[in-house]
Amino acid sequence: DQQVKQNSPSLSVQEGRISILNCDYTNSMFDYFLWYKKYPAEGPTFLISISSIKDKNEDGRFTVFLNKSAKHLSLHIVPSQPGDSAVYFCAASSFSSNTGKLIFGQGTTLQVKP
Amino acid sequence: EAQVTQNPRYLITVTGKKLTVTCSQNMNHEYMSWYRQDPGLGLRQIYYSMNVEVTDKGDVPEGYKVSRKEKRNFPLILESPSPNQTSLYFCASSWIGTDSLYEQYFGPGTRLTVT
């Protein structure tokens, strides 16, 4: 049972436009959400996070939105750059578990065309 | 340079032949973890360790062992590998803190094939 789902395996956008990556979760115990970025032949790197007490967190070109009632989060990249082309993983966790366990989605491959 | 290293990066082996994948971090992190990545499934946690001599099972621990004798090292041991353990493996580490526990640093991955 996939508790975190990224239903779009891939996304292609033009350089300079907005990229929107989506993620849905089913477990209402999740209270901390993260996005990781992964280039080929490298490990994932942490990008941005959001706590369930917030509905938006912004870091430069990257903004994460959280809609708790819909159990949905999204990552917006504005403007998109070719260097943003990578696989993006959404991840969720529960602070109360205190295990450091991250539940990952399947990933979305973003291609930004020059 | 702050990093998590894994060795080997690529390994092809046969069923039943014991192997160890090493993981080392130079950031003095208390927390370390192993994940496997499979197509369509994302990353799934195998084992984790909150500190030296403290380890616990993740979601998919069957067929794996770990040890944490030193803070910097967290080897993954496959006593009798089977083809269903063919996967891409990642080691990760982090400080233990409210948010930092989940903002983990990942190694480059080990591609394991068991025939």
Side-chain angles (χ1 to χ4, degrees):
Chain A
D1 179 32
Q2 196 84 14
Q3 297 185 72
V4 177
K5 292 183 181 178
Q6 294 175 253
N7 292 315
S8 297
S10 63
L11 174 68
S12 182
V13 300
Q14 208 64 36
E15 180 179 7
R17 307 292 280 266
I18 184 171
S19 294
I20 300 176
L21 295 93
N22 294 303
C23 177
D24 296 299
Y25 63 96
T26 57
N27 191 336
S28 57
M29 296 299 291
F30 291 148
D31 52 14
Y32 195 63
F33 304 89
L34 308 93
W35 285 93
Y36 280 81
K37 176 180 179 180
K38 183 183 180 305
Y39 292 117
E42 294 183 12
T45 55
F46 168 71
L47 187 58
I48 192 169
S49 62
I50 187 167
S51 164
S52 60
I53 62 173
K54 297 183 178 180
D55 54 20
K56 176 183 173 181
N57 188 26
E58 194 171 351
D59 183 2
R61 297 185 297 112
F62 302 90
T63 303
V64 56
F65 295 91
L66 176 62
N67 182 333
K68 288 188 291 294
S69 61
K71 293 190 175 69
H72 177 83
L73 63 155
S74 60
L75 175 68
H76 293 210
I77 306 173
V78 184
S80 301
Q81 300 174 353
D84 296 329
S85 297
V87 179
Y88 289 79
F89 289 99
C90 166
S93 63
S94 170
F95 272 151
S96 61
S97 72
N98 200 33
T99 62
K101 182 163 79 173
L102 295 168
I103 307 297
F104 285 86
Q106 307 97 309
T108 296
T109 300
L110 172 66
Q111 182 185 30
V112 180
K113 297 178 179 177
Chain B
E1 179 190 355
Q3 60 183 347
V4 178
T5 56
Q6 295 179 226
N7 282 293
R9 294 289 311 277
Y10 302 92
L11 178 61
I12 301 174
T13 190
V14 295
T15 299
K17 186 177 181 183
K18 181 180 178 179
L19 66 93
T20 299
V21 183
T22 64
C23 173
S24 183
Q25 50 92 6
N26 62 0
M27 294 167 279
N28 203 35
H29 287 164
E30 299 92 350
Y31 182 88
M32 297 186 76
S33 180
W34 277 101
Y35 295 86
R36 60 179 286 175
Q37 182 188 356
D38 300 292
L41 295 176
L43 284 80
R44 293 177 294 167
Q45 191 183 52
I46 303 170
Y47 268 95
Y48 67 94
S49 170
M50 300 294 271
N51 215 324
V52 175
E53 301 292 2
V54 181
T55 63
D56 210 342
K57 297 176 181 178
D59 288 327
V60 288
E62 295 79 19
Y64 305 96
K65 285 175 56 178
V66 293
S67 69
R68 189 92 181 271
K69 295 188 172 65
E70 305 166 281
K71 197 172 188 179
R72 63 183 293 127
N73 296 322
F74 191 45
L76 180 69
I77 303 155
L78 285 72
E79 294 269 3
S80 183
S82 62
N84 65 10
Q85 293 178 298
T86 293
S87 188
L88 178 58
Y89 291 87
F90 290 102
C91 180
S93 70
S94 65
W95 289 283
I96 292 181
T98 309
D99 299 344
S100 57
L101 178 60
Y102 299 95
E103 296 165 12
Q104 297 171 12
Y105 292 74
F106 282 79
T110 295
R111 173 75 65 184
L112 172 66
T113 302
V114 183
T115 62

